[in-house]
Amino acid sequence: MVIGLGLAGLSFAETLRLEGKSVHVIDSKKSGSSAIAAGIYNPTVLKRFNLSWNGVKFHETALPFYQSIEKRLNQNLLRRLPIHKIFSEAADHNQWIVASDREGLDFFLDSKIKHDQHQGIKTPYGYGTVKHCGRLDTATLIETYKSALGNDYQQENFDYHALEILDNSIRYKSIEASHIVFCEGYAMVDNPFFSYLPLIGSKGQILLIRSSQLSSKMILKGPIFIAPLHDDLFWAGASFEQQDKSLQTTEEGKDWVLRKIHQMIEVPFTVEEQIAQIRPTVKDRRPLVGTHSSSRRIHLLNGFGSRGVLTAPLASRWLFNAIFKNESLPDEVNISRFEKKV
Ligand SMILES: Cc1cc2nc3c(=O)[nH]c(=O)nc-3n(C[C@H](O)[C@H](O)[C@H](O)COP(=O)(O)OP(=O)(O)OC[C@H]3O[C@@H](n4cnc5c(N)ncnc54)[C@H](O)[C@@H]3O)c2cc1C
């Protein structure tokens, strides 16, 4: 039984399916962060000219994983798009050239500093291109996956008090399963089994903007991302807010994103929508994966921060192998790192 159908729950459900196991998914349809994410897959950290933690490994696992879902569900979900990293000062050039020569990063960063003009994009110091990246259409993925689950999907807010832990299984109302995996994103803070874990959460506000003059053939990265969705619609964001954990959008959030957009582009656009969501970020910036200390049947898959697209497939595989093949989880992601050592 999987609770939550964001990127975590979906990846785990798919891993079970690939391994010939059956799955029942319960999702509250509370808005999660996966459906509103830009869906950008990019294993580099462009602010620091570096690779993200396990970036190459996650990238290698995630793309074939989503491609196989695309094929099975007959739905286009991945779109390869270069990311144009807009330099903010001339000093960025040297850092970019050094980084693009580093092992691992060389596959992703095109070493050329480019100065060609793209209509409406402000690049006074030029830009560099990140290759082998793009967007996963997370909203379509979740909707299509949900439909394909059919009767194995149930829309309901999970009631923790109704969970019974039996000797060889767990029972939730009329459903019996061998294991339960909680994939609730930031809503985990209300889960009595796992709320002790340091899921901090980071609010992000985004704007959906429409412009007929902006190219849809690239993702722009300046102080924020601007990514093409469809029909002249672009995703722009996001803010990082640590204190406010509400899903309310604010005027300050909107103004902040608008200022960043104006730093990057100079074409007319209209604002279509403003959305806020909470990234499931963790104190030590690593995922939260593992089994509850009181029951070998209760598990967690969470803490993907701002990188759910690339992280979820391999983290799901780690958890699957831990549950069904008795393999050890990588120490960095195992929730046991937050348990008191005696
Ligand atoms: C503004 C923003 C932009 C982002 N952009 C990117 C990006 O470009 N690339 C990237 O890789 N990542 C991005 N992320 C991060 C990404 O969204 C997350 O890492 C990922 O989506 C987390 O997935 P999840 O399945 O753990 O959680 P969620 O997507 O939040 O899913 C949790 C699900 O569980 C359900 N649920 C919760 N509690 C219950 C309950 N009690 N009972 C039943 N169901 C329940 C919810 O309804 C929801 O469907 C972004 C995040 C934000 C906020």
Side-chain angles (χ1 to χ4, degrees):
M1 191 181 305
V2 168
I3 311 305
L5 190 65
L7 287 167
L10 187 149
S11 296
F12 197 74
E14 180 66 5
T15 305
L16 289 170
R17 203 196 62 78
L18 289 169
E19 293 288 339
K21 308 263 182 214
S22 58
V23 63
H24 188 83
V25 178
I26 296 180
D27 186 272
S28 61
K29 238 187 162 272
K30 279 183 211 163
S31 50
S33 66
S34 302
I36 71 104
I40 295 168
Y41 60 90
N42 160 37
T44 71
V45 185
L46 291 171
K47 215 196 297 183
R48 283 185 232 114
F49 302 92
N50 223 333
L51 275 169
S52 59
W53 174 72
N54 265 334
V56 173
K57 239 198 240 178
F58 287 140
H59 187 269
E60 280 169 2
T61 315
L63 292 201
F65 182 85
Y66 295 120
Q67 278 158 357
S68 83
I69 298 180
E70 277 186 315
K71 212 164 155 192
R72 185 169 67 84
L73 302 183
N74 194 21
Q75 177 79 50
N76 285 336
L77 299 166
L78 285 167
R79 184 162 172 218
R80 275 180 179 249
L81 288 165
I83 297 179
H84 287 187
K85 156 75 179 162
I86 301 171
F87 298 127
S88 53
E89 51 181 344
D92 287 347
H93 296 176
N94 197 33
Q95 291 203 63
W96 181 267
I97 291 166
V98 171
S100 65
D101 198 32
R102 229 179 286 146
E103 200 185 331
L105 265 180
D106 54 355
F107 182 69
F108 297 101
L109 303 190
D110 181 339
S111 59
K112 276 192 224 88
I113 305 293
K114 298 174 185 169
H115 289 283
D116 46 318
Q117 296 294 312
H118 289 275
Q119 189 197 358
I121 303 170
K122 297 181 185 173
T123 52
Y125 298 101
Y127 68 94
T129 301
V130 190
K131 305 172 286 180
H132 309 293
C133 48
R135 259 200 85 229
L136 173 71
D137 184 346
T138 50
T140 306
L141 168 65
I142 293 167
E143 277 312 303
T144 318
Y145 203 90
K146 187 173 89 182
S147 304
L149 279 170
N151 290 336
D152 294 327
Y153 172 87
Q154 179 180 339
Q155 187 177 318
E156 177 174 328
N157 198 17
F158 186 80
D159 174 7
Y160 305 102
H161 302 293
L163 179 66
E164 294 173 74
I165 302 157
L166 311 173
D167 283 348
N168 294 311
S169 61
I170 56 108
R171 189 183 300 139
Y172 178 69
K173 300 183 180 173
S174 60
I175 308 157
E176 200 161 326
S178 56
H179 295 270
I180 184 164
V181 182
F182 288 102
C183 306
E184 301 159 292
Y186 183 66
M188 186 206 88
V189 294
D190 296 322
N191 181 322
F193 297 104
F194 294 108
S195 57
Y196 71 93
L197 291 165
L199 189 71
I200 292 166
S202 156
K203 179 171 176 174
Q205 298 198 52
I206 66 137
L207 296 178
L208 298 183
I209 60 171
R210 196 174 287 283
S211 171
S212 59
Q213 292 179 37
L214 206 53
S215 168
S216 62
K217 297 205 166 73
M218 63 191 85
I219 296 169
L220 298 176
K221 171 71 173 100
I224 57 169
F225 281 101
I226 301 180
L229 299 181
H230 52 81
D231 305 323
D232 297 339
L233 196 65
F234 293 81
W235 187 105
S239 63
F240 268 87
E241 300 167 41
Q242 301 300 344
Q243 303 308 322
D244 177 7
K245 302 289 159 67
S246 76
L247 293 181
Q248 297 300 314
T249 55
T250 62
E251 277 307 305
E252 292 80 14
K254 182 176 178 179
D255 291 345
W256 186 89
V257 178
L258 279 175
R259 275 201 305 281
K260 304 297 171 191
I261 296 174
H262 287 300
Q263 283 175 29
M264 294 168 66
I265 62 171
E266 50 194 357
V267 286
F269 63 88
T270 52
V271 175
E272 303 274 309
E273 204 176 334
Q274 182 183 5
I275 308 171
Q277 254 303 341
I278 315 286
R279 303 169 185 87
T281 48
V282 184
K283 196 170 91 182
D284 65 1
R285 301 157 69 96
R286 295 290 176 263
L288 295 171
V289 186
T291 300
H292 197 265
S293 55
S294 75
S295 168
R296 62 183 191 89
R297 304 200 171 273
I298 303 177
H299 314 275
L300 182 73
L301 188 61
N302 208 316
F304 296 153
S306 4
R307 293 189 178 261
V309 173
L310 286 183
T311 315
L314 185 56
S316 296
R317 169 58 56 186
W318 287 334
L319 182 60
F320 180 91
N321 289 350
I323 297 173
F324 295 103
K325 299 185 179 171
N326 221 6
E327 286 183 13
S328 303
L329 286 165
D331 291 340
E332 290 145 297
V333 305
N334 196 331
I335 54 172
S336 64
R337 70 193 188 276
F338 295 111
E339 276 152 24
K340 285 200 186 94
K341 306 274 182 305
V342 193

